[in-house]
Structure formats: structure tokens, C-alpha cells
Amino acid sequence: MSYVKLENRPVSWWRCRAATIGQMIDQGWVVWSVCNACFLVMPADLDWFAFRLGDEETLWNRHPSCRRLGCKGTITFQGTPPAINRCMELRAEWPPECVDRR
């Protein structure tokens, strides 16, 4: 069996391990939002999202509207998993080995 460094894992692998907001909080993810129109960058408070949406909700593949007044853009969530220095867009399909976990 070979070992693949965490930095080289695909985004779908990370989605399988941190599918919900509760899992991201437990693992220590750092998440922020970026608007595609005005480029507003804001930290995403995972505790607030867990309180508002619930621990079992997800931020993967979500694109809400921008919070800046007058902006008509949409937000993309970006995240950094624990123990690595790699920023990734929270957009990925379910990998085949995790389909039965949903």
C-alpha cells in the first residue's frame, strides 16, 4: 500500500472526510467566503453556521448571494483543512468510495 501526502490528496477526498459543518469544526478547518463579483473576502464563522443551519448541513457546492450592499454576485466558500497549508475551493463531487456514506 502506498501513502499519498495530505497536500496531494484531491478535493473530493477532503469532502468525504469533512462533509458537514460539524465535522469541519471538529477537525479545525478555517473557512472564508469570496464574492465572484466584488471580490469581498470574509471569514466564515463555522460555529454560527452550525447554530443557524445545523451541524449536519454542508458548505460544499453552496453559492449564496453576496453580503455587500448593492452587489449581485455569488459567494464561493474556500477552506483550509487542518495540518496542511493548502487553500481549496469547497466544490467537489462525491468520490465513489463515499457514496454509501451520505
Side-chain angles (χ1 to χ4, degrees):
M1 176 183 253
S2 64
Y3 174 76
V4 178
K5 292 174 63 174
L6 292 177
E7 292 85 7
N8 297 333
R9 300 279 180 167
V11 177
S12 59
W13 186 87
W14 287 105
R15 181 178 183 182
C16 186
R17 271 83 189 154
T20 66
I21 295 170
Q23 290 173 334
M24 287 181 160
I25 292 170
D26 292 342
Q27 295 173 14
W29 280 64
V30 176
V31 179
W32 57 93
S33 62
V34 180
C35 177
N36 67 349
C38 68
F39 302 108
L40 175 68
V41 177
M42 293 176 48
D45 186 357
L46 291 178
D47 292 325
W48 183 86
F49 278 111
F51 173 76
R52 182 84 168 117
L53 303 174
D55 282 348
E56 296 301 314
E57 195 59 48
T58 185
L59 296 179
W60 290 90
N61 298 329
R62 294 291 173 98
H63 303 286
S65 58
C66 183
R67 308 295 289 168
R68 181 174 275 170
L69 249 128
C71 181
K72 304 236 186 280
T74 57
I75 287 174
T76 301
F77 290 104
Q78 307 270 334
T80 301
I84 70 167
N85 192 13
R86 176 184 171 203
C87 168
M88 64 183 76
E89 187 174 341
L90 299 183
R91 183 187 334 198
E93 296 301 320
W94 283 101
E97 64 268 11
C98 294
V99 172
D100 57 344
R101 289 186 182 183
R102 287 190 284 173

